[in-house]
Structure formats: structure tokens, C-alpha cells
Amino acid sequence: MPSTEEPQSSAATKNPRRRNGSADRSNPLVSGDKGGVAGDKVFNGLALAAGVTILLVLAFVAIFLTFNSVGAVYTEEEGLNLGAFFSYAYPLLLGSLMASAIALMIATPVAVGVALYLSHYAPPKLSRTIGYVIDLLAAIPSVVYGAWGMTFLAPALVPLYDVAHEYLDFIPFFAGTPSQTGRTVLTGGIVLSVMIIAIITAVSREIFMQTPKLHEEAALALGATKWEMIRTAVFPFARAGIISGVMLGLGRALGETMAVALVLSVGPLTFSLISSGNSTIPAEIALNFPEAPPGSERQAQLIAIGLVLFLITLVVNMIARWIVSRHKEFSGAN
Amino acid sequence: MTSSTRTAERPSNPSQEPQGSRRNKLAQRPLPPWTWVVVLVASAVVAAALAALFTDFHLGFVFVTTLVLFLVTSYVVTRSRAGRRKANDELCRNLVYTAFILALIPLVSLLWSVTSVGMRGLTEPGFLTSDMMGVSGTTDAESVQEGTSVQGGIVHALVGSLMITLAAAAISVPIGLLTSIYLVEYSRGGPLARAITFFVDVMTGIPSIVAGLFGVAAMSWFLGVLNQAGLISSSRSTMGITAAIALSVLMIPIVVRTTEEMLRVVPNELREASYAMGVRKWRTITKVVLPTAISGIASGVTLALARVFGETAPILVTAGFVVNVNWNLFQGWMTALPVYIYRQFQNPINPSLSEPSYQRAWAAALVLIFVVMMLNLIARIIAKVFAPKTGGR
């Protein structure tokens, strides 16, 4: 009872005020709320400004990086000098691509397998718990992965590299003296693969779960085994999703800094996966930027390769998004 | 049961026999369900024997050989007893399970190594309450030679991480929240909204080190402008706030994406009910829409905090690293916890005796993982506990 009385009394105190003006009576809530009009405008403006800020920030990222990296390719004395920058950047770029390629080759099959396990093989209750566990993989900071790769994984891989060197010497990837610390580009790629498994798994699992149940049951009703069902109903539906997940993983692997900076003992470019050497763009920046004097040509050089990395990841991510958006049109029919 | 009735039927109806036997092959289970256990144990035994013969019992070798033997043997056994299709099915199932185990190995190994090594450093007296002032190569060497406890702690790194993360959140939460409000409430899919959505997607893919470079470049430009205007005389861009700006480049897109998702699931009926009572749009948003979505928004922000707390590269290039506590975001270098770990591994205090540095680094890594896990857990709890009542819908 008291709860109903209270609003009544407050309404009673408000009522006399409303009766005062006849204009207020026609639409008392709107016209009586003069402060609200300004509030609406301010709020709308704020929201718009925030959105524009994001666009500005991204534009500034591109502008600042470009502006600051001019010093790497152009100096007052020498003029435009693209060749020097190119010969500096391409071993780093190749190193980045090599580490990412190794990471993708390991991570993609494992991640698709784990996603399949979670969506189609594991008991549903267990699958949710394991989903959390896989999310944990993504939550662990990259520096911890780097530390683990450097102190635990690298020494454990040394005997393997020795064996690979002994028997697979004829393949250029396993030529050269094997590293005695194990801190090679292959180790770096393996650490990266562990880091991107979580991303690819998350995306693929999501898309596997969305496979139309009717397609799956139709396949099973025709006598398909579970694998045949997955091959004929799940994979065709999920192909675009898997590819975009892999692309997102590639973007992450290309931009990953700390894991590589810690695991790799950097050196000049070499195609041998088991001897020390190679470097990646992010590792190069992280290792040298704190020592580079502000405003120097060295800093400009580092910012310039940062810009190259930015553009590459931009393209990779845009392709991934494009695949997803193209897929959306088709899945509308399902 | 079925097989016994079928065998009983067979003699009474001999003309049906070929068809019946074919049906049998599909319907009955040709292999007992425990086959895989036998195959697995057998391959493990063979692998162990091989390992003892050719290597000095290397565990990794045993594991890989067991796996390969198991996959091959179970395929061959199923193929010979149940046919090609069953064998393929079996092989792929085993491969899926193998992938799952392979993915778990690094996680278990990592958590185990961090906990086992990190606990020792964490239990050193004063690890959580002291900084690295006065810790040098000689003190580290002394602690190893005399067996005393390792000096030095992480309190300066904790302070730095806390300040930088909070500053980054203070920048990115309002911007992210307002942007998602603009996307969901104000623009109904206009060109600007589509551009923002697209570029937020692009921003999620920015490498963290590039965000750090942007922070440095933007701050030194900004300071240069202020210098020319004669407002300040300092031009050192290495400070906490630069790191916060760099981190907010990474954090804003996460906040926008999660908040946008949460605002979109707020039922339109709630908004319309509010409008029908004559409530203004901004009051509707602040009093109806946001409170309904607050649990999702809070959990999204917490997850973004967890992500940003673990970032190393942008802080390394923007805020540097020091040995003492610095509470001031706007002056002087700052150490964050991930940068502390990185420096201890990469440049041990005593280059010839890296053991004490590694011990500190692992302990700090344990603290870092603990904080990040806690943030993740809190995010889940917030999402569960404060979720709006669905009202039986």
C-alpha cells in the first residue's frame, strides 16, 4: 500500500504546477522539458564527435607514421633513396612472412581439429568448459608466451634440430649448423602458432556451430559416416569462416612482437629454419626503438618499417573482412 | 540380441541370405568398443620399446611414435574389419582428438612452468612491496653465492601498469561507448556509420607495436606544437600518458565492438515504451538503454582491460623502463609489468648470472597471468550476475 501512495502524492504536488500554463497542458512532458532539448542536442553531438574521433585517430595513425618515416627514404644531402631502405626492409619482411607461414601451417590444422572437436565430437557439457580453456590460451599475454618459448620450448627442440640437420641436410630449410640454444625461426613460428590457435579455433567453432542442423541430419540419413557428414555438410558451409579465421590469425602472427623478440636470437636473413638468424619487423622495432635517438634517421627507418607492417596487416585484415561479408550474403539463404 | 534373432532367421529363409549378410555388415558393430584402448596400449608399448632401443628413452619420441603408431594401426584394423569408409571415419576422429590434445600440451606446459618457477620468486620477502632501486649485478651475484634471497621487486611495475591501464581506460571507454551509441541509436546505417564500422574493424587488426609507434609520433608532434606556442619547455615524449594513448588505440575498437553488440540486443520495445511516455532520446539512452546493457558493457570493458594489461610492445616504445616507482603519468619514464618481464629476460641485471633476473621475471609473469585471469573471471561474473532479467521471454 505505501508504495502506491507515494507516486500519488508526488503527482499531486506536480499537478498544480502543470495547471498554471495552458500551453503546457497540451503536451506537458515535452514542452515543459526545456533542458531536455539542449541535452538531446549535446548528447547527439557527443556521440557523433566520438565516432568522428575514431576516424581521425586512424587517419592520424597513417599520417603520423608516413610523416615520420620520410627521413628513412629522403635526406637533404642524398635526396630520394628508396634502394637503401628496401635493402634494409626486405630481409625483415621475409623473416616476418617466414615465421607467420610456419605458424599458419602448424596452427590451421590443429585449430580446425580443435574446433571440430568442440562443435561435433566433445560432449556438449564438456565442450563449453573446454571452450573456456581455449579462450585462456588467447588471454595469456604474449610476453609470457615468449618467455616460455625461450626457456622451455627452445632447449627442448635442440635435439630435434640436431636430428633434422643430420638426416634432412639436403633440404635447404634444414641446412646450416643447428642452433645450440634452439632460438631459431622455427621455434618462433611454433610459439606464434600456439598463440594464433585460439583465434582460429574461436572463429571456426562459431561457424561450425552454425551449420544448419537439417543439412547434417540429411547427410546422416543418407548413410554418411560422421566424417562424411562433416566433409559434405559442415566444411562447405564453413569454408569462408575458416579462411577468414586463418586470415585474422595471420594478421596477429605478422604483428606479434614480444614472443618473437624473446624467442629469436636475431641475425641476418637465412632460409635455414634450424640455425639462428632472421628477424621480423615487430621484433626489430621492439629491440631497437628504445635505443634509437628521437628524430634520428634510425628512428625514421624503424617507423618506416612499422608503416610497411601496418599496411600489410591492413590488407590482410581487409581481405578477411571482405570474405566474411561476402559469405554473409550467401548464408542469408540458409 | 539382434544378431541372435538374425542368425535364427537365416536358416528358415535361405533365399534372403546374401541380402541379410550385407545388411549385417552395415548394421552390426564389427569391432568391439574397447578396440581403441587395446590399440593405444599396444602402440605405447611398441613406442616405448623403440625409444629404449634407439634413443635414451626420450619422452617426446615416445609420445610422437605412440601417436603415429596408434593412428596407423587403428586405421588398418578398422579397414580390414569394417571397410574403407568406417576406417576413414575412425582416422579423422582420431586426428580431431589428436589436434585437441596437441593444443592442450602448450597450455599445460606453460601454466605449469610459470607456476612452478614463479612461485619461488613470488615467495621471496619483499617481492610485491619493493622496487628495483639498488639492485645491481653485484647484489644479484651476492645473493647467488651466499644463497640469500633475491633482492628486488615489482611494485614500480605494478604501479606503472595500473596507472597506464587506468589512463587508457579513461580515454577509450567514453569514446568507445559514445561511438557505439552513435552507431546503434543515432545513425541508422548511414555512410558515416558504415565507415566507422569498417574502420573499427580495421583498427582491431593494428599490430600493437604500430600503435606504440603512433603514440610516440603523435606525442612528440603534440609537444613540438606546444613548444612552439611557448606553453611548455619539455619535449620528452617518453612518459606514461603516451603509453596510455597508444594503448587506447588498441582498446577503443574492442570497447566499440562489445558495446555495440550489447546495445543492439536491448529490445526495441523498451525504447518505444520510453518514447511513448514522452521521454527524450538522450534520457531514454542513459536511463533505459544503458542500464539494460550495462552488464554486457562492463564485462566487455573488463575483457579489454585484460587485453591491454598484458600488452608489452606499445608500452616498451612509449613509456620506457625505470627502476623506481613513478606515479606521475605526465613526467618521467614508467615501467609496466609486461615490460619488466621482458627486460628481465632480455637484459638480465647481471649478464653472466641471469638466474636471479629470470626468477624475478617468472614471478612477475605469474602475477601478470593471475591479474589477467582474474580480470577475465570478473568479466564473466559481471556478465552472469548483473545480466538483466529476461522475464520469461
Side-chain angles (χ1 to χ4, degrees):
Chain A
M1 253 338 247
S3 63
T4 51
E5 243 169 46
E6 233 177 77
Q8 269 180 0
S9 65
S10 71
T13 52
K14 268 182 193 166
N15 273 346
R17 187 152 41 94
R18 272 191 206 159
R19 279 197 205 105
N20 287 345
S22 57
D24 284 1
R25 230 179 157 177
S26 60
N27 202 346
L29 277 168
V30 178
S31 55
D33 190 14
K34 284 266 154 43
V37 181
D40 238 1
K41 275 183 183 154
V42 168
F43 202 72
N44 191 354
L46 275 178
L48 183 64
V52 174
T53 309
I54 290 188
L55 294 184
L56 283 183
V57 165
L58 200 69
F60 273 133
V61 171
I63 291 169
F64 276 128
L65 290 184
T66 318
F67 185 72
N68 280 287
S69 57
V70 168
V73 292
Y74 181 84
T75 48
E76 292 277 320
E77 307 92 61
E78 297 165 37
L80 197 65
N81 191 358
L82 274 173
F85 176 69
F86 182 74
S87 60
Y88 166 69
Y90 93 93
L92 297 171
L93 189 57
L94 279 182
S96 281
L97 292 179
M98 219 149 79
S100 306
I102 295 169
L104 276 192
M105 272 190 273
I106 300 171
T108 309
V110 174
V112 171
V114 174
L116 265 187
Y117 176 79
L118 292 178
S119 64
H120 284 88
Y121 283 92
K125 259 191 185 165
L126 193 67
S127 141
R128 191 180 296 165
T129 321
I130 295 166
Y132 286 152
V133 174
I134 297 291
D135 285 346
L136 277 190
L137 265 176
I140 293 173
S142 58
V143 68
V144 180
Y145 276 114
W148 171 76
M150 171 186 154
T151 49
F152 283 87
L153 185 66
L157 287 176
V158 170
L160 194 69
Y161 292 164
D162 285 336
V163 172
H165 172 66
E166 206 170 316
Y167 296 104
L168 299 170
D169 203 10
F170 54 91
I171 305 172
F173 287 139
F174 297 105
T177 39
S179 161
Q180 284 316 300
T181 52
R183 296 168 65 175
T184 70
V185 70
L186 185 55
T187 316
I190 293 173
V191 174
L192 283 181
S193 77
V194 175
M195 301 181 66
I196 61 174
I197 279 176
I199 298 175
I200 306 179
T201 303
V203 176
S204 319
R205 181 183 54 159
E206 205 67 21
I207 207 93
F208 287 158
M209 296 257 200
Q210 285 171 13
T211 314
K213 268 274 159 316
L214 284 176
H215 292 193
E216 292 179 8
E217 276 161 18
L220 290 175
L222 287 171
T225 60
K226 192 160 197 167
W227 170 245
E228 283 162 347
M229 179 271 281
I230 288 170
R231 216 178 32 146
T232 53
V234 178
F235 278 165
F237 178 82
R239 193 173 295 133
I242 297 174
I243 292 173
S244 80
V246 169
M247 296 295 269
L248 288 179
L250 175 63
R252 173 97 192 262
L254 281 171
E256 182 45 54
T257 315
M258 279 308 136
V260 183
L262 277 173
V263 169
L264 215 57
S265 59
V266 293
L269 179 73
T270 156
F271 284 102
S272 164
L273 301 181
I274 55 168
S275 51
S276 54
N278 287 326
S279 184
T280 69
I281 293 177
E284 169 84 3
I285 300 174
L287 290 172
N288 295 307
F289 199 84
E291 274 83 34
S296 64
E297 196 188 329
R298 177 72 178 137
Q299 197 186 36
Q301 207 173 30
L302 291 171
I303 293 182
I305 52 170
L307 182 66
V308 172
L309 177 69
F310 175 60
L311 293 177
I312 293 172
T313 48
L314 208 65
V315 169
V316 168
N317 278 303
M318 272 158 72
I319 293 174
R321 303 283 171 199
W322 177 68
I323 293 173
V324 173
S325 67
R326 202 185 52 162
H327 178 69
K328 261 182 197 151
E329 287 163 26
F330 288 113
S331 68
N334 293 310
Chain B
M1 203 53 180
T2 45
S3 66
S4 71
T5 50
R6 225 172 263 140
T7 44
E9 256 173 359
R10 224 179 267 159
S12 68
N13 202 348
S15 62
Q16 295 263 314
E17 212 193 50
Q19 219 182 354
S21 70
R22 251 177 92 190
R23 210 154 95 236
N24 263 351
K25 207 172 179 183
L26 273 178
Q28 80 178 185
R29 188 178 257 164
L31 287 170
W34 39 261
T35 318
W36 70 273
V37 183
V38 177
V39 174
L40 184 63
V41 171
S43 6
V45 169
V46 173
L50 282 176
L53 271 180
F54 294 111
T55 67
D56 38 353
F57 209 77
H58 195 265
L59 266 184
F61 179 82
V62 176
F63 179 75
V64 172
T65 323
T66 309
L67 216 59
V68 172
L69 280 176
F70 173 66
L71 288 176
V72 172
T73 322
S74 61
Y75 179 80
V76 171
V77 168
T78 328
R79 172 137 199 181
S80 62
R81 291 291 305 273
R84 188 179 55 82
R85 291 175 59 218
K86 277 265 181 208
N88 277 341
D89 186 40
E90 176 90 12
L91 178 70
C92 290
R93 200 188 63 196
N94 288 337
L95 280 176
V96 163
Y97 278 76
T98 311
F100 173 64
I101 292 167
L102 279 181
L104 278 191
I105 289 173
L107 184 67
V108 171
S109 155
L110 187 140
L111 287 181
W112 182 81
S113 62
V114 172
T115 337
S116 64
V117 188
M119 268 324 257
R120 197 174 44 203
L122 197 60
T123 48
E124 297 283 5
F127 182 72
L128 289 172
T129 52
S130 63
D131 55 20
M132 294 294 286
M133 283 286 269
V135 179
S136 64
T138 31
T139 54
D140 269 0
E142 272 171 21
S143 69
V144 170
Q145 281 151 13
E146 293 163 22
T148 53
S149 64
V150 174
Q151 301 291 308
I154 55 165
V155 69
H156 60 307
L158 283 175
V159 168
S161 270
L162 188 73
M163 296 301 290
I164 291 173
T165 312
L166 286 183
I171 298 170
S172 35
V173 170
I175 294 182
L177 199 60
L178 283 169
T179 304
S180 50
I181 287 173
Y182 175 76
L183 289 177
V184 178
E185 304 289 334
Y186 284 100
S187 77
R188 295 279 171 202
L192 182 63
R194 261 180 290 145
I196 292 174
T197 314
F198 176 77
F199 282 111
V200 164
D201 275 352
V202 167
M203 265 174 100
T204 48
I206 290 185
S208 57
I209 187 99
V210 172
L213 292 180
F214 161 71
V216 175
M219 188 49 89
S220 43
W221 172 80
F222 184 63
L223 289 178
V225 169
L226 284 189
N227 259 334
Q228 280 187 340
L231 288 174
I232 50 158
S233 57
S234 155
S235 62
R236 285 196 208 114
S237 64
T238 308
M239 54 189 177
I241 195 71
T242 317
I245 290 171
L247 287 183
S248 54
V249 173
L250 300 172
M251 196 171 168
I252 287 173
I254 311 179
V255 175
V256 173
R257 293 298 295 271
T258 49
T259 315
E260 191 192 342
E261 219 161 274
M262 288 304 136
L263 292 182
R264 282 203 197 283
V265 296
V266 172
N268 243 350
E269 287 89 336
L270 287 182
R271 293 189 186 96
E272 277 156 14
S274 174
Y275 292 149
M277 307 229 283
V279 180
R280 292 216 162 266
K281 190 163 191 173
W282 74 283
R283 301 284 282 170
T284 305
I285 293 169
T286 49
K287 296 283 175 186
V288 176
V289 178
L290 285 183
T292 313
I294 194 68
S295 70
I297 295 171
S299 98
V301 168
T302 318
L303 283 178
L305 279 179
R307 156 98 199 267
V308 162
F309 198 86
E311 281 296 348
T312 319
I315 306 182
L316 179 73
V317 297
T318 50
F321 33 84
V322 284
V323 294
N324 57 327
V325 176
N326 178 12
W327 284 93
N328 192 346
L329 276 172
F330 297 93
Q331 194 168 38
W333 294 24
M334 250 181 171
T335 308
L337 198 54
V339 178
Y340 176 87
I341 300 169
Y342 169 73
R343 290 295 296 182
Q344 292 291 321
F345 274 118
Q346 194 75 1
N347 300 63
I349 304 281
N350 188 338
S352 53
L353 264 176
S354 54
E355 212 36 58
S357 282
Y358 281 17
Q359 186 183 324
R360 280 191 290 265
W362 280 116
L366 184 59
V367 174
L368 180 66
I369 287 192
F370 179 75
V371 171
V372 171
M373 299 278 153
M374 273 338 245
L375 284 173
N376 273 286
L377 195 68
I378 291 171
R380 286 203 195 288
I381 292 174
I382 290 175
K384 259 218 176 98
V385 173
F386 297 101
K389 306 281 176 292
T390 44
R393 225 194 271 237

